[in-house]
Amino acid sequence: VSFSTNYACKECGFTIEKLEPRLFSFNAPQGACYECKGLGIKMEVDPEVLIQDDELSLNQGAISYFKHIAGSENLEWQEFVYLCEYYNIDMDKPFKDLSDYEKQIAIVGSDVPLKYTLTSRSGNQNHKNGFIEGPKRRIERLYVETQSQMLRDWYYSFMMETTCTTCNGQRLNEKPLSVKIDGVNIAELTNMQIGEMYNFLSTMNISSQQKEI
């Protein structure tokens, strides 16, 4: 067994900073989960709000985000149409009849970078090369990035709170969660009932010096 005074593993490259209180706080950047920023939850698109009527086709507005621009010259719609054409998704077929893969592409976006051209109403062309966002990715990104409260409220209308899958709601990143006393990390300890925590602390298999620390 190898030990390191630098809190580093030479096998996997995992490192951890000096053990100090801020490392164990979800209010501090050192300890907070990188994905949810210490909240334990994330805002994600609610599939039932995004697809309210799967009897409709994509051209009929099955995806509620596109409901008012379907069939228009809107640049977002043009991009979406190209996405569907590239993957041979039938935009006139009821959404419920699409394959699972087709539904994923239509909702999440392309899984490879694409080259395509968008044309504005004035005839200006915009040549693009990259991944095409589906409405799910676009809404979740713009909800964070927009400076407009009106737009943020609109994006929010498509969303719901979900448990962060990176930290599983524990609010901390992998560094503080990797520090364990008698096999228990700080998140597991604070989730215990009072009686359970008392029994654990009373029977910890550590030395008197370690208890004092």
Side-chain angles (χ1 to χ4, degrees), residues 139-191:
I139 293 168
E140 290 171 355
R141 175 178 63 81
L142 293 177
Y143 174 77
V144 174
E145 293 180 359
T146 184
Q147 299 299 309
S148 166
Q149 187 58 49
M150 182 178 71
L151 286 175
R152 181 171 289 110
D153 290 343
W154 186 63
Y155 296 132
Y156 180 80
S157 70
F158 293 96
M159 306 179 84
M160 63 179 180
E161 287 186 357
T162 61
T163 300
C164 176
T165 54
T166 300
C167 67
N168 295 316
Q170 295 181 315
R171 308 175 77 173
L172 298 166
N173 63 56
E174 74 275 10
K175 292 183 178 180
L177 293 177
S178 68
V179 178
K180 297 185 178 183
I181 298 177
D182 209 15
V184 174
N185 65 36
I186 188 171
E188 294 167 334
L189 180 66
T190 54
N191 282 334

Side-chain angles (χ1 to χ4, degrees), residues 76-95:
E76 282 191 30
W77 181 251
Q78 284 186 46
E79 196 173 57
F80 182 71
V81 169
Y82 182 83
L83 173 71
C84 292
E85 288 177 347
Y86 179 85
Y87 286 95
N88 295 314
I89 298 174
D90 187 347
M91 298 184 69
D92 292 315
K93 181 186 289 187
F95 187 83

Side-chain angles (χ1 to χ4, degrees), residues 4-9 14-19:
S4 171
T5 58
N6 296 319
Y7 306 108
C9 175
F14 180 79
T15 62
I16 190 170
E17 296 93 70
K18 179 181 178 182
L19 299 183

Side-chain angles (χ1 to χ4, degrees), residues 13-199:
F14 180 79
T15 62
I16 190 170
E17 296 93 70
K18 179 181 178 182
L19 299 183
E20 51 187 354
R22 64 181 180 175
L23 181 65
F24 299 92
S25 171
F26 48 74
N27 288 318
Q30 293 84 355
C33 170
Y34 308 123
E35 184 69 24
C36 67
K37 312 304 180 190
L39 296 175
I41 58 172
K42 291 195 303 182
M43 295 300 299
E44 293 186 347
V45 167
D46 184 342
E48 294 185 1
V49 174
L50 193 63
I51 309 293
Q52 297 182 12
D53 185 354
D54 63 2
E55 297 283 348
L56 297 177
S57 69
L58 295 173
N59 275 329
Q60 292 173 320
I63 297 179
S64 56
Y65 178 77
F66 293 130
K67 182 167 58 175
H68 299 298
I69 62 172
S72 73
E73 297 177 1
N74 181 281
L75 296 179
E76 282 191 30
W77 181 251
Q78 284 186 46
E79 196 173 57
F80 182 71
V81 169
Y82 182 83
L83 173 71
C84 292
E85 288 177 347
Y86 179 85
Y87 286 95
N88 295 314
I89 298 174
D90 187 347
M91 298 184 69
D92 292 315
K93 181 186 289 187
F95 187 83
K96 66 181 180 64
D97 294 334
L98 298 178
S99 69
D100 289 342
Y101 180 67
E102 289 173 330
K103 290 176 182 177
Q104 178 183 338
I105 293 297
I107 291 174
V108 178
S110 68
D111 50 15
V112 294
L114 306 175
K115 288 184 179 181
Y116 58 101
T117 301
L118 303 178
T119 305
S120 69
R121 287 175 182 153
S122 61
N124 293 326
Q125 291 192 326
N126 185 3
H127 302 283
K128 294 200 163 195
N129 183 6
F131 291 91
I132 293 181
E133 289 180 317
K136 181 181 188 299
R137 282 182 181 158
R138 188 184 299 271
I139 293 168
E140 290 171 355
R141 175 178 63 81
L142 293 177
Y143 174 77
V144 174
E145 293 180 359
T146 184
Q147 299 299 309
S148 166
Q149 187 58 49
M150 182 178 71
L151 286 175
R152 181 171 289 110
D153 290 343
W154 186 63
Y155 296 132
Y156 180 80
S157 70
F158 293 96
M159 306 179 84
M160 63 179 180
E161 287 186 357
T162 61
T163 300
C164 176
T165 54
T166 300
C167 67
N168 295 316
Q170 295 181 315
R171 308 175 77 173
L172 298 166
N173 63 56
E174 74 275 10
K175 292 183 178 180
L177 293 177
S178 68
V179 178
K180 297 185 178 183
I181 298 177
D182 209 15
V184 174
N185 65 36
I186 188 171
E188 294 167 334
L189 180 66
T190 54
N191 282 334
M192 291 181 181
Q193 298 292 326
I194 295 296
E196 184 185 5
M197 183 184 294
Y198 176 80
N199 290 334

